Amino acid sequence: MTEVVVPRLALVRRGLWLNYLTIGYNTIEAVVSLVAGLVAGSVALIGFGVDSAIEVTASVAAQWRLRSDRDSARRERVEWLTRRVIGGSFLALSAYVAVDSVTTLWQREAPDPSVVGLGILVLSAFVMPVLARAKRRVAVALGSRALEAEATQTSICAYLSVIALAGVALNTFVGLWWADPVAALAMVPIIAKEGLEGFGAEADCHCD
């Protein structure tokens, strides 16, 4: 019995520390992206910043899931609630980004260049995949679909940073103003897909 419990507790502790790191980084990422996006009028940066804020919510939900690990009955309900909350947040984000991007294209609102925005996007493209891989290993070992979904969302954050980086870079260095809202629109299907999967999730936990 001890041989099973001790490794699981160690995995939970590792998962908690990884989530502390994710919350800390994503908080900085969200603030910098949102401020840079608002200053520059960049839909891609604002969308990425809101995504980062949702990632903080996802990591807090993952903390709740990890701290519920010892109670198997409560664990399954937390699994379901965690995925629904995160899924609903992503659906709201996809709707916001789609409307704001189309409005920007329609009104031809050219964003200003943003070197700060470029910097945070480049950093995120490197940091997020590392965190995602480590979190996925813990999730698989614990048999938690909710934690796997949260690790996937961390991976998506990396994909979104690359997409946003392309749009912001093209606007900053080449002057293609439309690249920014187009990059934001490219994020919408990815965000919406994860939202639909999470919001429609049934309780599904192989946590024994």
Side-chain angles (χ1 to χ4, degrees):
M1 185 70 173
T2 303
E3 293 180 357
V4 175
V5 173
V6 173
R8 189 172 186 87
L9 290 175
L11 285 167
V12 169
R13 284 195 295 269
R14 188 182 307 162
L16 288 170
W17 277 110
L18 286 169
N19 272 277
Y20 288 138
L21 288 173
T22 305
I23 290 169
Y25 180 80
N26 274 334
T27 299
I28 295 170
E29 182 184 69
V31 172
V32 173
S33 298
L34 285 170
V35 171
L38 289 169
V39 170
S42 167
V43 183
L45 277 172
I46 292 172
F48 183 71
V50 176
D51 173 78
S52 300
I54 291 176
E55 285 292 334
V56 173
T57 304
S59 293
V60 170
Q63 286 271 342
W64 181 34
R65 162 62 186 85
L66 285 162
R67 293 181 185 281
S68 303
D69 194 74
R70 293 185 182 182
D71 186 338
S72 59
R74 183 165 176 249
R75 181 195 302 159
E76 290 202 11
R77 175 150 181 80
V78 170
E79 282 272 324
W80 181 79
L81 283 173
T82 298
R83 296 184 69 183
R84 295 274 291 186
V85 168
I86 295 170
S89 299
F90 272 91
L91 286 176
L93 174 60
S94 65
Y96 164 77
V97 172
V99 171
D100 207 17
S101 300
V102 170
T103 301
T104 299
L105 285 168
W106 180 260
Q107 297 178 351
R108 300 179 65 86
E109 298 173 350
D112 296 326
S114 178
V115 176
V116 174
L118 284 172
I120 193 66
L121 291 171
V122 169
L123 185 60
S124 296
F126 285 99
V127 172
M128 289 292 103
V130 175
L131 279 174
R133 282 194 296 270
K135 289 160 73 173
R136 185 170 290 106
R137 283 195 293 267
V138 171
V140 170
L142 288 173
S144 168
R145 294 291 178 85
L147 293 178
E148 283 187 61
E150 197 263 336
T152 298
Q153 284 155 2
T154 302
S155 295
I156 287 173
C157 186
Y159 302 147
L160 294 181
S161 69
V162 173
I163 294 171
L165 178 61
V168 175
L170 285 171
N171 175 59
T172 300
F173 298 118
V174 186
L176 298 178
W177 68 269
W178 50 263
D180 185 281
V182 167
L185 276 175
M187 299 179 192
V188 171
I190 301 172
I191 298 170
K193 178 178 179 293
E194 287 306 308
L196 288 170
E197 288 181 359
F199 195 74
E202 300 295 331
D204 188 4
C205 178
H206 305 291
C207 307
D208 296 330

